[in-house]
Amino acid sequence: MLMTINDENLFLSLILVNELQEVLEGHKISLKRRSEHVTEGTNEAGSGTLLNKIYTELYITEGQSEEVNTQHEVRQLEITSKKNIQDTPIRWHQIFNILCEQQKHIRVVLTNGVAGVGKTFSVQKFTLDWAEGLENQDISLLVLLSFRELNLIKDEQHSLLSLLHVFHPTLQKIRAEDLAACKLLLIFDGLDESRLSLDFNKEQVISDVTQVSSASVLLVNLIQGNLLPSALIWITSRPAAANQIPPSYVDRITEIRGFTDTQKEEYFRRRFRDEDLSKRIISHIKASRSLHIMCLIPVFCWITATVLEDMMTRDQRGELPQTLTDLYSHFLLVQTKRKKQKYGGHKGPEELTESDKEVLLKLGRLAFEHLEDGNILFYQNDLEQCGLDVSEVSVYSGVCTEIQKSVYCFVHLSIQEFLAAVYMFHCYTSKNTAVIHSFLKYSETNLLWLLRFFKLYDPIIPVDDFLSRVMMKSLESPNGHLDLFVRFLHGLSLESNQRILGGLLNQTDNNPETIQKVINNLKEMSSEQISPDRSINIFHCLMEMKDHSVHQEIQEFLKSEKNSEQELSEIHCSALAYLLQMSEEVLDELNLKEYNTSEEGRRRLIPAVRNCRKAEFCNCNLSEISCDSLASALKSNPSHLRELNLSRNQLQDSGVKLLCSGLESPNCKLETLRLNSCSLTEISCGSLASALKSNPSHLRELDLSDNQLQDSGVKLLCSGLESPNCKLKTLTLCDCSLSENSCDSLASALKSNFSHLRELDLGLNNQLQDSGVKLLCSGLESPNCKLETLRLRDCSLSETSCGSLASALKSNPSHLRELDLKFNQLQDSGVKLLCSGLRVQTVNWRLSALKSNPSHLRELDLSYNKLQDSGVKLLCSGLESPNCKLVTLSLWSCSLTGISCGSLASALKSNPSHLKELDLSYNKLQDSGVKLLSDLVKSPNYRLETLKPTGV
């Protein structure tokens, strides 16, 4: 029977569908084979393990900590170790799911995580689960591409289609129309290892999967959505490299936090079949805080397991590693022993041979020379410059491994830092002055020390002097990239670690007196010009030297009921800051003045702000250096801080600029910020305005009193107040050198549709004058204005301002409830004008509107006026009115006598009287007058509860 054209087309379509299905099934099988085996710490052939056998679920959350670009990765781990109990995790198979109503379609996901935290393992697990048909089966095609692979073709020209054909040969038969028709997920693993140049500003648009260009351009167009806009994109990266992708192109950011405590234990149980061995290892790790924190990272768990398994399964002599230096020294020994077993054909001696030492020192030189520049990838010429050849590196693949053709890296950054420290210490002990000189970069002020080093002044350079210099250099690093390196250096000064390394380091003068000098130097080290976050590493160096005295003293301090009486040294404060911020309990308040310590000691306590809700840092001699630490705390996830008082510190504009980088973070939840008397100018107003415009801005109260902001500063600030993201309710601008021009800017802000301002204090700006109040009142009269409290004390106002304010009070609606006009020359005529518009609940001046119906006045302050007894008598006629609802009356220093007490007593006996608080301080009332009123307080028939007739 002949087929019609339609039948033939249908038949061909079915054939193509079947062919595509066969291609996809073949691709799944290929992916399964590629991802079902993994290697821990090394890529050498034959070292693979089944992923499902060892894989332990990792902790992943939405969002990220913004301090990632300014903190050493080990420091991030310490912070993360506490955060893991705070946030709700999400599962890998949910990363493209819409988790709440506010979220839009998730197309591009960026996953951050520090080195060794399990990003690649997680990608492999995701891929394996898909290939085995267990998860995400709505995805038709998953394509995994590592940046290591893409680096190999960075100079070549490809289309997206040909790119897939190159790296996934099973997809050779897939066509352009197939890619458009199926639900595609492209995974790009390891952005931090990329050598591609991603330029999102170029206008080269690629929209066809057959269009040829560079891998960089193809990737940019995929992320932008020009190429395969329906495809899902997942990118993994170390945090510091993630900023290569503009946030506007990312729909979801996730962060791998590593293992929780429960997951750490699961890892070791899965890795060791011997239950007793896994229990012993877990117990030992829990006993060491340093090891326990580092075991957040799967790679570090592997390092720890490698060492402890070796030590616990042979004749154990000496104690198990307690510090990081201990552990890494043993790790180097274990790797050397395994190298001998594999390449030597026999176990060989435990000690390092001369050949071992030579290669390890060359690796140490490689690690050291690239550490300062932050290089983690090395090429063949880098190896050759350090005297290494490929064969030497290959036998130490558990330390430094080839990640792709002719590209190498250390198994983990911490191993690079340890080997760098070993090399540096070797240079010191072998008197390699050129390396030391280059690293420390001596200035003329250090000439004396330099002469001593070259033995022109002193034949022996003590190790304590050397370590002090290296420590100071590390503290000056803005991101602490030398923190772990300097910890290892101090640990290597101990004879016990030098003995483990079996002659790799020349023996130093490490008698007890010398070691005590090193410890004393750490305890007494000054860090006045150093970030408080950096200073904490001094405490960690003490722990690496196994000096626990400071830690024990601080533990006792925290247990003491009267701990505020104990004097704390600077190193005590560093230790306390570390322990407080690592505590599981969030502090209600951190008040630096409550601690008996020096100004430098108080600065060292600042990092504890990460773990408190309220911080009182008023008048603590802080500078912009402290603001850097505070900004980092505001960026942290989670950020607990809600109230921050930095008044009376020399922060200056540069400090506020740093602080505002924290305020702009989406993690920041700060509600109250006080910057009274901080030497600020209009520049700070620009920074604060930018923060108020950020989304979301949680700031509700801002105090900028006693700063030279001037009108130009207020104008900038008001641009923030008018932002739809700004939710500020209270703004204090007392004594800021403002004039009528500021009132114009503020009026504009009050008229804004987005104005949330409820309280405004402009006191002590005596250049505002009547013209300024007139401009301000144009804002008060706006229907958008919700202002409830306005303070204008001592602003050089006259009765003219009263007329303007009265007009504003008559506006509909007027929300004003409190008005402070103290210390202005209003006179009686001004008060009369003001009373014509009275609807406020509190007015700090003399009023005669108590009889009005209704009367909203609840609080009245007439202090420091010459009312005399005759004035009070008139006032009392208002108090006796049944319409009067006044609750609080203040009559300080009003030239009153006992006669006024009689008038007030009569008014208070009226029915009903609502007055509960009466202040008559600093008047000549006499005892008889006071007694009249005191009897009313004691009587249950009257409402008066508080009477203050003190003073004369």
Side-chain angles (χ1 to χ4, degrees), residues 291-308:
L291 302 187
H292 195 243
I293 288 173
M294 289 291 284
C295 276
L296 281 163
I297 311 177
V299 166
F300 189 82
C301 287
W302 170 74
I303 292 171
T304 306
T306 299
V307 171
L308 296 182

Side-chain angles (χ1 to χ4, degrees), residues 395-458:
V395 298
Y396 276 95
S397 59
V399 176
C400 184
T401 187
E402 185 177 25
I403 59 174
Q404 65 189 61
K405 187 176 181 181
S406 300
V407 181
Y408 303 83
C409 76
F410 290 96
V411 169
H412 188 255
L413 176 62
S414 58
I415 293 177
Q416 180 178 347
E417 291 165 307
F418 176 71
L419 281 170
V422 168
Y423 176 74
M424 170 61 105
F425 210 88
H426 170 77
C427 289
Y428 169 73
T429 58
S430 60
K431 304 296 186 291
N432 188 335
T433 56
V435 172
I436 305 295
H437 179 277
S438 176
F439 179 71
L440 294 179
K441 297 180 176 64
Y442 303 109
S443 63
E444 290 182 8
T445 58
N446 289 323
L447 181 59
L448 180 62
W449 193 88
L450 181 60
L451 290 172
R452 289 176 59 195
F453 193 88
F454 282 111
K455 301 184 180 181
L456 300 175
Y457 176 79
D458 191 337

